[in-house]
């Protein structure tokens, strides 16, 4: 089953709207981020800020200082990038309950090209003290995350894919920020993946199984704070690690895992975007292929880890 | 509303106390933002000691808020907050030290009475607008005062905030421009002259008032007038002198963020004493 993450996000905001503290701000992309669904039901708590993301971020900080729980919305490049200093200074230093939606994240806005594709938002948000960074795998997890963000006192960044993605999460399972989920058990190599790359890792597991290689697939949807103990537990008995993300390998999930496990002397290979900006493409699958964000790339890197370990 | 002569006299004395507190924070040889703090000293005195609704608890929900968007001049605000008893006088000399609660720029987590984190210029006005909207949502009649610098007007975010405030008819926002004509590295004329400031604010949908920012009576009546305005935010353009009250620092960009020598500091203290005799 494929479901839209941004649709789930918009619906989740509407559900949260029952809490009168919740306010939603957007910068003329509400139809894309789907935050605009909130407007029709709670127009008095919906603030169209115009194409002015920096102001939107600081206004949300002001609202939070009067006890509101704010959600600000735009494309990931325009929240995590353009409004970076406002997120840093107005929101993160005082650790306010402002929740930042980075929509159309990664390469998921495949047609619009490099100015609209965000390959560095995990890095810029992750480096900020007090910030929580979330990267949902599917629509169900998105919905659960949005509620957790509201309930968490400090700032959160939510990275949302523009496209429909396969569902791995169940609404019946308890969600909490920091949760890391085992999606497939395996005995040779562990693949820590986030966002769309989780489905690529699941495909890779199927391919590798045929050659007698068994991989464990873990959905890492909380990039920060990263649960080091859980990471280590998933590594027990594994010959090495492959990370997979639709983001630059500089500063993203792979980096975060290498930082966390640097003392462990474990073989790690990173699948991600190799220090370059995006490009316009005909469709999502093609752009992912163009940057090597495929199940094939994960398979190759699993083999590489096994070769390294053998030597 | 009119003010009695005793109000005005008292406030003038308070403005001297504020300047004296600034001198305590900046002993000889200690670098700090003397110029912009001194230019705002009369404005904050009128706000904190007369105009704003304040309570014993600096977090009382009913309070009016004051945000220094030109966060570097926060010394003027600290100087008032200590007079209100929000923190101990011993903090003044610990300004910008690891053991103190007075940061180089405003930090609401560390300093009672400070409302936000500002200092990265341009953000404070947006934060003020957000607070104003938040207060409106909860039916809280408190007002938000925001001190903006003239050098700061070069920040694009100021104008984003200006548009948002008028679009949302934030008549509970009153910005005060500390129009001292000097920025970090020189006069605004030399560095980055911004023309037609009043016309710009009018064009952005604000009600504007222009005053002498060192005349306590003018400041008070402008604040009163702003309180009567309905449906739009108010900008009080307050003509000021950078370093006001300290002759060697007046209109001198060095004292945007410089230090006083022993002799200058003594001269500053003496000048305040002389003014106190007159007041």
């Amino acid at each position: 089953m494929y479901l839209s993450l941004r649709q789930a996000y918009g619906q989740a905001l509407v559900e949260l709207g029952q809490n009168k503290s919740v306010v939603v701000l957007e910068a003329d992309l509400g139809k894309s981020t789907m935050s605009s669904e909130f407007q029709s039901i709670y127009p008095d708590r919906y603030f169209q800020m115009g194409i002015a993301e920096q102001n939107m971020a600081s206004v949300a900080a002001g609202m939070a200082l009067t006890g509101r729980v704010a959600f600000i919305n735009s494309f990931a490049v325009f929240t995590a990038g353009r409004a970076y200093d406002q997120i840093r200074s107005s929101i993160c230093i005082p650790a306010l309950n402002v929740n930042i939606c980075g929509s159309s994240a990664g390469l998921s806005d495949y047609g619009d090209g490099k100015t609209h594709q965000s390959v560095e938002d995990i890095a810029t948000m992750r480096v900020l003290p007090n910030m929580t960074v979330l990267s949902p795998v599917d629509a169900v997890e998105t919905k659960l995350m949005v509620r957790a963000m509201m309930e968490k006192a400090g700032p959160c960044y939510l990275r949302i894919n523009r496209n429909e993605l396969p569902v791995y999460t169940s609404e019946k399972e308890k969600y909490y920020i920091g949760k890391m989920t085992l999606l497939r058990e395996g005995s040779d190599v562990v693949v820590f993946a986030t966002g769309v790359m989780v489905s690529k890792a699941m495909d890779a597991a199927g391919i590798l199984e045929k050659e007698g290689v068994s991989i464990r697939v873990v959905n890492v949807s909380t990039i920060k704070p990263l649960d080091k103990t859980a990471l280590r537990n998933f590594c027990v008995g594994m010959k090495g690690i492959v990370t997979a993300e639709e983001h630059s390998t500089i500063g993203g999930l792979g980096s975060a895992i290498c930082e966390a496990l640097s003392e462990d002397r474990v073989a790690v290979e990173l699948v991600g975007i190799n220090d370059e900006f995006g490009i316009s493409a005909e469709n999502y699958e093609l752009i992912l292929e163009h940057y090597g964000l495929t199940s094939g790339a994960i398979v190759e890197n699993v083999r590489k880890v096994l070769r390294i370990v053998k030597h | 509303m009119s003010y009695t002569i005793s109000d005005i006299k008292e406030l003038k004395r308070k403005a001297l106390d504020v300047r004296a507190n600034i001198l305590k924070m900046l002993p000889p040889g200690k670098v700090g933002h003397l110029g912009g703090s001194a230019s705002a000293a009369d404005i904050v005195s009128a706000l904190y000691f007369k105009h704003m609704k304040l309570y014993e608890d600096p977090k009382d929900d009913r309070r009016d808020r004051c945000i220094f968007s030109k966060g570097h001049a926060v010394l003027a605000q600290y100087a008032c907050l200590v007079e209100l008893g929000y923190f101990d006088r011993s903090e003044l000399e610990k300004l910008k030290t690891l053991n103190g609660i007075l940061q180089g720029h405003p930090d609401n987590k560390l300093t009672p009475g400070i409302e936000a984190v500002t200092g990265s210029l341009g953000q404070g006005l947006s934060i003020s607008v957000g607070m104003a909207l938040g207060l409106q949502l909860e039916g809280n009649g408190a007002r938000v005062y925001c001190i903006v610098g003239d050098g700061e007007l070069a920040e694009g975010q100021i104008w984003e905030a200006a548009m948002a405030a008028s679009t949302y008819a934030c008549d509970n926002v009153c910005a005060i421009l500390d129009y001292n004509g000097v920025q970090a590295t020189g006069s605004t004329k030399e560095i980055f002259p911004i023309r037609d400031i009043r016309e710009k604010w009018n064009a952005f949908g604000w009600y504007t008032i222009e005053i002498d920012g060192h005349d306590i009576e003018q400041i008070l009546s402008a604040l009163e007038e702003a309180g009567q305005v309905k449906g739009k935010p108010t900008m009080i353009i307050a003509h000021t002198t950078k370093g006001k009250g300290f002759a060697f620092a007046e209109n001198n960009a060095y004292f945007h963020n410089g230090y006083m020598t022993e002799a200058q500091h003594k001269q500053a203290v003496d000048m305040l004493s002389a003014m106190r005799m007159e007041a």
Side-chain angles (χ1 to χ4, degrees), chain A residues 6-305:
Chain A
R6 49 187 175 135
Q7 211 161 21
Y9 174 73
Q11 286 162 359
L13 282 186
V14 169
E15 282 175 26
L16 297 193
Q18 287 166 351
N19 175 346
K20 288 198 168 62
S21 301
V22 172
V23 291
V24 172
L25 295 85
E26 69 112 333
D28 196 25
L29 285 172
K31 291 204 169 74
S32 283
T33 63
M34 302 213 173
S35 53
S36 60
E37 300 204 1
F38 191 89
Q39 182 180 23
S40 50
I41 305 183
Y42 303 106
D44 55 326
R45 285 186 276 131
Y46 182 82
F47 296 88
Q48 173 58 262
M49 302 311 292
I51 309 163
E53 298 79 9
Q54 300 168 27
N55 180 57
M56 172 171 70
S58 297
V59 164
M63 288 182 171
L65 286 163
T66 61
R68 308 302 105 189
V69 177
F71 283 82
I72 66 171
N73 300 276
S74 187
F75 284 9
V77 274
F78 305 130
T79 51
R82 188 168 190 134
Y84 177 77
D85 184 42
Q86 286 73 17
I87 292 171
R88 177 184 188 275
S89 183
S90 296
I91 297 170
C92 280
I93 294 178
L96 299 174
N97 196 346
V98 176
N99 300 294
I100 300 142
C101 168
S103 206
S104 290
L107 303 168
S108 65
D109 185 14
Y110 52 83
D112 279 329
K114 44 188 80 76
T115 52
H116 285 57
Q117 295 158 351
S118 100
V119 297
E120 75 282 20
D121 54 312
I122 292 177
T124 58
M125 293 295 98
R126 187 167 80 81
V127 75
L128 289 169
N130 298 328
M131 182 67 98
T132 295
V133 179
L134 304 172
S135 168
V137 64
D138 60 28
V140 174
E141 194 175 44
T142 301
K143 212 166 169 182
L144 298 170
M145 274 178 175
V146 176
R147 181 166 292 278
M149 289 163 75
M150 175 188 77
E151 286 164 0
K152 187 173 165 56
C156 296
Y157 175 71
L158 180 71
R159 179 177 217 248
I160 296 186
N161 195 296
R162 189 181 176 84
N163 304 301
E164 293 181 353
L165 296 181
V167 176
Y168 294 100
T169 316
S170 159
E171 214 155 345
K172 287 176 200 133
E173 279 174 46
K174 188 176 154 44
Y175 175 79
Y176 54 91
I177 288 171
K179 186 177 182 186
M180 229 175 265
T181 321
L182 178 71
L183 294 182
R184 182 175 168 129
E185 191 49 287
S187 53
D188 293 318
V189 170
V190 57
V191 178
F192 292 113
T194 194
V196 66
M197 294 310 287
V198 170
S199 61
K200 304 297 176 195
M202 293 298 272
D203 294 345
I207 298 167
L208 286 162
E209 190 176 35
K210 287 177 195 136
E211 2 181 312
V213 175
S214 160
I215 65 170
R216 181 178 276 179
V217 178
V218 180
N219 168 32
V220 186
S221 56
T222 301
I223 314 267
K224 186 188 176 188
L226 200 53
D227 185 343
K228 205 164 158 171
T229 310
L231 273 181
R232 283 206 166 120
N233 287 340
F234 283 124
C235 291
V236 171
M238 297 291 117
K239 299 185 178 83
I241 299 170
V242 172
T243 66
E245 63 199 301
E246 184 196 15
H247 183 275
S248 173
T249 49
I250 301 174
L253 172 69
S255 296
I257 288 176
C258 288
E259 290 158 16
L261 303 180
S262 63
E263 300 156 22
D264 297 4
R265 305 291 178 266
V266 57
V268 186
E269 289 298 323
L270 278 62
V271 174
I273 296 163
N274 182 24
D275 197 18
E276 52 186 326
F277 288 113
I279 197 164
S280 287
E282 296 86 329
N283 63 52
Y284 192 35
E285 281 307 316
L286 270 180
I287 197 168
L288 291 175
E289 269 171 41
H290 180 82
Y291 288 97
L293 303 178
T294 59
S295 52
I298 295 171
V299 166
E300 274 309 309
N301 281 277
V302 168
R303 290 181 187 142
K304 201 168 161 189
V305 164

Side-chain angles (χ1 to χ4, degrees), chain B residues 1-14 49-50 215-218 220 278-279:
Chain B
M1 186 172 164
S2 66
Y3 294 93
T4 62
I5 292 172
S6 64
D7 282 337
I8 304 300
K9 277 199 149 180
E10 170 65 11
L11 280 177
K12 284 184 176 167
R13 274 195 293 272
K14 280 292 199 187
F49 304 125
K50 186 70 197 173
D215 182 320
I216 295 283
E217 258 180 299
Q218 285 190 37
L220 287 174
E278 289 165 28

Side-chain angles (χ1 to χ4, degrees), chain B residues 68-140:
Chain B
F68 264 61
S69 195
K70 49 171 286 187
H72 53 274
V74 70
L75 276 63
Q77 203 174 5
Y78 293 156
C80 295
L81 299 176
V82 75
E83 293 296 321
L84 294 171
Y86 288 173
F87 52 80
D88 195 81
R89 276 188 193 280
S90 63
E91 289 295 336
L92 296 180
E93 61 195 45
K94 290 190 277 179
L95 171 81
K96 298 198 283 185
T97 63
L98 288 171
N99 293 321
I101 61 164
L102 305 182
Q103 295 285 295
H105 287 86
D107 184 335
N108 61 304
K109 288 275 190 201
L110 288 180
T111 314
I114 293 293
E115 301 285 358
V117 168
T118 55
S120 180
L121 294 174
Q123 299 186 25
L125 187 59
S126 302
I127 294 171
S128 302
V129 172
M131 280 184 183
L133 291 170
L135 291 168
Q136 284 179 9
L137 278 175
E138 64 187 36
N140 185 330

Side-chain angles (χ1 to χ4, degrees), chain B residues 163-207:
Chain B
M163 284 185 276
S166 59
T167 297
Y168 281 96
C170 294
D171 52 18
N172 51 345
V173 169
C174 175
I176 300 151
L177 178 66
D178 184 0
Y179 196 3
N180 61 33
V182 180
Q183 52 192 106
T185 59
S187 71
T188 53
K189 277 204 183 87
E190 293 164 333
I191 305 298
F192 193 74
I194 300 173
R195 284 184 209 148
D196 309 323
I197 285 180
R198 186 166 189 175
E199 288 81 351
K200 282 191 168 75
W201 287 95
N202 283 332
F204 276 73
W206 288 55
Y207 181 80

Side-chain angles (χ1 to χ4, degrees), chain B residues 26-35 96 248-249 252-262 264-265:
Chain B
L26 295 177
K30 184 164 180 170
V31 171
H33 292 93
L34 175 66
K96 298 198 283 185
F248 57 87
N252 183 349
Y254 172 76
F255 285 99
H256 172 79
N257 190 21
Y259 67 88
M260 286 173 273
T261 61
E262 290 277 358
Q264 283 168 332
H265 195 271

